[in-house]
Tab-separated table of all heavy atoms in Angstrom:
chain	number	residue	atom	x	y	z
B	266	PHE	N	-83.626	331.098	-88.934
B	266	PHE	CA	-83.093	331.506	-90.269
B	266	PHE	C	-83.196	330.376	-91.248
B	266	PHE	O	-83.505	330.613	-92.398
B	266	PHE	CB	-81.650	331.986	-90.092
B	266	PHE	CG	-81.539	333.144	-89.165
B	266	PHE	CD1	-80.930	332.961	-87.891
B	266	PHE	CD2	-81.959	334.395	-89.533
B	266	PHE	CE1	-80.867	334.082	-87.133
B	266	PHE	CE2	-81.911	335.424	-88.707
B	266	PHE	CZ	-81.284	335.297	-87.428
B	267	LYS	N	-82.980	329.142	-90.782
B	267	LYS	CA	-83.144	328.055	-91.665
B	267	LYS	C	-84.573	327.950	-92.187
B	267	LYS	O	-84.821	327.623	-93.341
B	267	LYS	CB	-82.724	326.775	-90.977
B	267	LYS	CG	-81.247	326.699	-90.695
B	267	LYS	CD	-80.753	325.255	-90.614
B	267	LYS	CE	-79.227	325.180	-90.654
B	267	LYS	NZ	-78.657	325.067	-89.328
B	268	LEU	N	-85.526	328.118	-91.219
B	268	LEU	CA	-86.944	328.096	-91.636
B	268	LEU	C	-87.182	329.110	-92.721
B	268	LEU	O	-87.849	328.866	-93.695
B	268	LEU	CB	-87.827	328.339	-90.378
B	268	LEU	CG	-88.306	327.149	-89.651
B	268	LEU	CD1	-88.990	327.595	-88.348
B	268	LEU	CD2	-89.250	326.240	-90.510
B	269	LEU	N	-86.640	330.319	-92.543
B	269	LEU	CA	-86.877	331.403	-93.514
B	269	LEU	C	-86.302	331.084	-94.837
B	269	LEU	O	-86.834	331.364	-95.900
B	269	LEU	CB	-86.267	332.678	-92.975
B	269	LEU	CG	-87.103	333.476	-91.946
B	269	LEU	CD1	-86.368	334.762	-91.619
B	269	LEU	CD2	-88.413	333.748	-92.459
B	270	SER	N	-85.138	330.370	-94.801
B	270	SER	CA	-84.545	330.050	-96.052
B	270	SER	C	-85.276	329.086	-96.916
B	270	SER	O	-85.011	328.891	-98.077
B	270	SER	CB	-83.059	329.632	-95.859
B	270	SER	OG	-83.111	328.312	-95.236
B	271	LEU	N	-86.288	328.382	-96.280
B	271	LEU	CA	-87.083	327.473	-96.996
B	271	LEU	C	-88.126	328.174	-97.888
B	271	LEU	O	-88.560	327.587	-98.918
B	271	LEU	CB	-87.891	326.562	-96.008
B	271	LEU	CG	-87.027	325.424	-95.496
B	271	LEU	CD1	-87.891	324.650	-94.412
B	271	LEU	CD2	-86.713	324.465	-96.613
B	272	GLY	N	-88.630	329.301	-97.450
B	272	GLY	CA	-89.687	329.970	-98.132
B	272	GLY	C	-89.197	331.119	-99.156
B	272	GLY	O	-88.075	331.632	-98.907
B	273	THR	N	-89.900	331.388	-100.110
B	273	THR	CA	-89.540	332.462	-101.056
B	273	THR	C	-90.241	333.794	-100.559
B	273	THR	O	-91.285	333.733	-99.840
B	273	THR	CB	-89.953	332.244	-102.487
B	273	THR	OG1	-91.367	332.115	-102.515
B	273	THR	CG2	-89.260	330.910	-102.988
B	274	VAL	N	-89.720	334.860	-101.043
B	274	VAL	CA	-90.303	336.160	-100.765
B	274	VAL	C	-91.755	336.222	-101.235
B	274	VAL	O	-92.605	336.778	-100.614
B	274	VAL	CB	-89.393	337.264	-101.381
B	274	VAL	CG1	-90.032	338.637	-101.248
B	274	VAL	CG2	-88.010	337.332	-100.739
B	275	GLY	N	-91.918	335.536	-102.399
B	275	GLY	CA	-93.301	335.594	-102.982
B	275	GLY	C	-94.323	335.110	-102.031
B	275	GLY	O	-95.515	335.603	-102.058
B	276	ASP	N	-93.973	334.184	-101.137
B	276	ASP	CA	-94.931	333.626	-100.183
B	276	ASP	C	-95.263	334.606	-99.072
B	276	ASP	O	-96.168	334.394	-98.296
B	276	ASP	CB	-94.432	332.283	-99.652
B	276	ASP	CG	-94.284	331.234	-100.735
B	276	ASP	OD1	-94.998	331.332	-101.734
B	276	ASP	OD2	-93.392	330.351	-100.510
B	277	ALA	N	-94.393	335.548	-98.890
B	277	ALA	CA	-94.476	336.448	-97.729
B	277	ALA	C	-94.886	337.867	-98.058
B	277	ALA	O	-94.768	338.785	-97.292
B	277	ALA	CB	-93.080	336.479	-97.009
B	290	ALA	N	-89.172	338.217	-106.215
B	290	ALA	CA	-90.091	337.249	-105.530
B	290	ALA	C	-89.527	335.901	-105.329
B	290	ALA	O	-89.861	335.169	-104.365
B	290	ALA	CB	-91.394	337.206	-106.309
B	291	GLY	N	-88.529	335.553	-106.179
B	291	GLY	CA	-87.908	334.191	-106.077
B	291	GLY	C	-86.857	334.093	-105.027
B	291	GLY	O	-86.468	332.999	-104.682
B	292	ALA	N	-86.394	335.220	-104.472
B	292	ALA	CA	-85.314	335.184	-103.428
B	292	ALA	C	-85.911	334.532	-102.119
B	292	ALA	O	-87.091	334.490	-101.936
B	292	ALA	CB	-84.791	336.577	-103.145
B	293	SER	N	-84.981	334.058	-101.308
B	293	SER	CA	-85.483	333.400	-100.063
B	293	SER	C	-85.834	334.502	-99.054
B	293	SER	O	-85.330	335.600	-99.115
B	293	SER	CB	-84.411	332.533	-99.540
B	293	SER	OG	-83.384	333.258	-98.861
B	294	GLN	N	-86.711	334.131	-98.183
B	294	GLN	CA	-87.163	335.037	-97.103
B	294	GLN	C	-85.961	335.408	-96.247
B	294	GLN	O	-85.918	336.589	-95.773
B	294	GLN	CB	-88.288	334.439	-96.297
B	294	GLN	CG	-89.500	334.193	-97.109
B	294	GLN	CD	-90.535	333.354	-96.428
B	294	GLN	OE1	-90.373	333.042	-95.241
B	294	GLN	NE2	-91.589	333.024	-97.120
B	295	ARG	N	-85.058	334.495	-96.150
B	295	ARG	CA	-83.895	334.720	-95.276
B	295	ARG	C	-83.038	335.940	-95.876
B	295	ARG	O	-82.631	336.808	-95.151
B	295	ARG	CB	-83.055	333.509	-95.173
B	295	ARG	CG	-81.800	333.644	-94.402
B	295	ARG	CD	-80.992	332.354	-94.422
B	295	ARG	NE	-79.710	332.537	-93.831
B	295	ARG	CZ	-79.066	331.669	-93.158
B	295	ARG	NH1	-79.580	330.399	-93.052
B	295	ARG	NH2	-77.885	331.854	-92.703
B	296	ASP	N	-82.909	335.893	-97.181
B	296	ASP	CA	-82.177	336.958	-97.857
B	296	ASP	C	-82.897	338.247	-97.734
B	296	ASP	O	-82.206	339.291	-97.480
B	296	ASP	CB	-81.966	336.630	-99.329
B	296	ASP	CG	-81.022	335.497	-99.574
B	296	ASP	OD1	-80.352	335.072	-98.625
B	296	ASP	OD2	-80.972	334.943	-100.710
B	327	LEU	N	-91.808	338.955	-91.545
B	327	LEU	CA	-90.825	337.875	-91.689
B	327	LEU	C	-90.503	337.228	-90.310
B	327	LEU	O	-90.342	336.037	-90.152
B	327	LEU	CB	-89.552	338.430	-92.368
B	327	LEU	CG	-89.692	338.749	-93.829
B	327	LEU	CD1	-88.404	339.452	-94.342
B	327	LEU	CD2	-89.920	337.486	-94.636
B	330	ARG	N	-93.030	334.823	-89.323
B	330	ARG	CA	-92.871	333.529	-90.054
B	330	ARG	C	-91.794	332.708	-89.454
B	330	ARG	O	-91.801	331.443	-89.551
B	330	ARG	CB	-92.551	333.766	-91.553
B	330	ARG	CG	-93.879	334.176	-92.267
B	330	ARG	CD	-93.468	334.488	-93.745
B	330	ARG	NE	-94.751	334.790	-94.411
B	330	ARG	CZ	-95.484	333.863	-95.000
B	330	ARG	NH1	-94.999	332.614	-95.025
B	330	ARG	NH2	-96.545	334.144	-95.641
Side-chain angles (χ1 to χ4, degrees):
Chain B
F266 299 108
K267 289 206 168 98
L268 268 173
L269 281 182
S270 68
L271 279 174
T273 61
V274 173
D276 297 334
S293 79
Q294 294 170 5
R295 180 181 170 149
D296 292 346
L327 290 172
R330 284 176 174 271

